Amino acid sequence: MMGELALRYPRNSLVVSTGAYPGAAASDAQFPQIVDRIGVRATRLRTLQGLTAWTWRAGSLAHRTRPRFTWCGELKPAGYPARWLKGRHGVPYGVIVYGTELLLLDAKIQRWTARHLLGRAAVVVAISDWTARLARSVLERLGCAGLARGVEVVPLGTTPEHFRPGVDAREVRERYGLDGGRWLLTVARLEWHKGIDTVIKALPAVRAAHPGTRYAVAGVGDRGPQLEQLARDLGLGDAVRFLGAVPDADLPALYNAADLYVGASRRHDLLVEGFGISLVEASACGLAVVGGRSGGVPDAVREGETGILVDPDDPAAIAAGINRLLADDSLRQGLGAAGRRAVETFYNWDRVVKDLIRIDAAFRLPAPPGAP
């Protein structure tokens, strides 16, 4: 998400402070901003060494650039250097929250973090209405009623120029073995809260109504072996195709190779879908969506307009939703077309960044005398 901000904020209006990773120099060249990478790998920023180096570097940058506001793309670890800049230099900061980190706070696992990082922010931005309700609840329990009342909601988006209908899918079909027949698609990490297991359990009922329908899953994760075993146990064989990690460049064609997108995310322990970027990517490609009525998914799927919502814990409900759309070409295509329009007019990064620019303008420090 922060990369999308860096691409779309006015040129040279941001300083991006982050960790290092191989090949970073090549990707940094695309941004119209200063990208300052500390000498710690991005994956190590949560360590004591990483946080110390990041905080020191952030202070050095603040002396040189005199920032008026700081965005934290996530509460941890970015909140630590932002909180230090607030205390040392008086720079206000905003925190973007997603859902799972708030469930951890709500479970009192990280109450100190909530009080000292989230509670000291100038503004909290939630990526969905559901996330906002959870953020307000956490903040109220921390005694931050004013901050709770001011939680902003900025649903996420995608890039309609990249994800679009009409992308030639023949090469991707051949590469991933998506030959013939109807294909359902999920693009997600292979984790329980993504609901992939429930879709697999729903597939026999789908195939009974629509023979030959198959299910492609793009992604990697810890639950891969169990999900593959579940498909075997249900006798689905080649009806479920695990594609592994699919490069971003292949995703538009992959969406175009599918007939219907299924994102049956649900809450599992302290994991939940705060919004669901893949849902709006599918919509951008003109696919109708079957989404789980859970977490922030209803913010990404407009029920009856861009897709339908179902109980993500019930394989029968998921099968019924899929069967309804597979049986009605006109309905399915209409939902897909409406999804594309929704992305063009609302679920896009240009709108997201305009919202965030409006928010930080309300909280940033005044410009020094003589500044443009």
Side-chain angles (χ1 to χ4, degrees), residues 23-341:
S27 65
D28 289 349
Q30 70 179 309
F31 295 108
Q33 320 291 352
I34 297 171
V35 180
D36 185 88
R37 295 190 179 274
I38 64 175
V40 176
R41 289 180 66 92
T43 55
R44 301 286 295 167
L45 287 179
R46 291 174 179 266
T47 66
L48 180 59
Q49 176 194 12
L51 288 173
T52 300
W54 199 2
T55 300
W56 180 88
R57 185 65 178 178
S60 176
L61 286 171
H63 278 296
R64 296 203 318 265
T65 64
R66 303 297 179 186
R68 298 161 58 197
F69 187 83
T70 301
W71 275 120
C72 297
E74 56 186 8
L75 181 61
K76 293 178 64 179
Y80 289 103
R83 173 68 184 88
W84 189 85
L85 288 181
K86 166 68 175 175
R88 185 67 179 269
H89 300 279
V91 181
Y93 64 97
V95 179
I96 300 171
V97 292
Y98 303 86
T100 293
E101 79 279 47
L102 294 171
L103 291 176
L104 291 169
L105 296 175
D106 204 37
K108 301 183 180 180
I109 295 172
Q110 302 175 23
R111 182 54 64 96
W112 185 94
T113 300
R115 183 175 295 110
H116 290 273
L117 299 185
L118 188 62
R120 304 295 177 87
V123 62
V124 174
V125 174
I127 64 169
S128 66
D129 284 328
W130 174 85
T131 305
R133 290 193 296 272
L134 182 57
R136 293 183 188 111
S137 175
V138 170
L139 288 167
E140 286 170 359
R141 278 196 287 278
L142 291 173
C144 304
L147 187 58
R149 287 192 295 271
V151 170
E152 296 268 2
V153 181
V154 179
L156 302 185
T158 187
T159 309
E161 300 81 12
H162 182 60
F163 293 99
R164 66 188 192 280
V167 176
D168 189 344
R170 287 175 294 182
E171 183 181 347
V172 160
R173 281 184 177 275
E174 182 176 354
R175 187 183 316 154
Y176 295 105
L178 306 179
D179 53 312
R182 285 176 154 176
W183 284 92
L184 313 175
L185 175 66
T186 296
V187 178
R189 298 192 314 276
L190 305 187
E191 302 291 348
W192 293 133
H193 73 289
K194 296 296 184 177
I196 297 165
D197 58 319
T198 319
V199 180
I200 293 173
K201 294 174 184 176
L203 194 56
V206 172
R207 285 167 61 83
H210 301 279
T213 300
R214 288 175 286 177
Y215 180 36
V217 182
V220 295
D222 294 340
R223 306 306 175 188
Q226 292 106 311
L227 293 171
E228 292 177 8
Q229 185 61 53
L230 174 62
R232 288 192 294 269
D233 290 346
L234 293 175
L236 292 170
D238 198 44
V240 180
R241 185 74 51 82
F242 291 93
L243 308 184
V246 174
D248 289 344
D250 286 350
L251 286 176
L254 182 62
Y255 286 117
N256 275 267
D259 296 274
L260 183 64
Y261 190 82
V262 186
S265 295
R266 63 179 187 262
R267 178 168 174 175
H268 181 80
D269 293 334
L270 296 179
L271 296 175
V272 71
E273 193 81 74
F275 178 77
I277 290 289
S278 63
L279 297 163
V280 293
E281 289 176 351
S283 289
C285 293
L287 279 181
V289 174
V290 175
R293 191 179 287 103
S294 173
V297 172
D299 277 55
V301 181
R302 296 175 178 175
E303 185 162 22
E305 179 184 343
T306 68
I308 60 175
L309 298 173
V310 298
D311 181 350
D313 292 308
D314 184 355
I318 294 172
I322 293 170
N323 285 337
R324 177 188 170 197
L325 295 189
L326 290 181
D328 191 334
D329 291 346
S330 177
L331 174 61
R332 190 176 69 255
Q333 292 165 9
L335 294 173
R340 173 66 190 180
R341 290 193 297 271

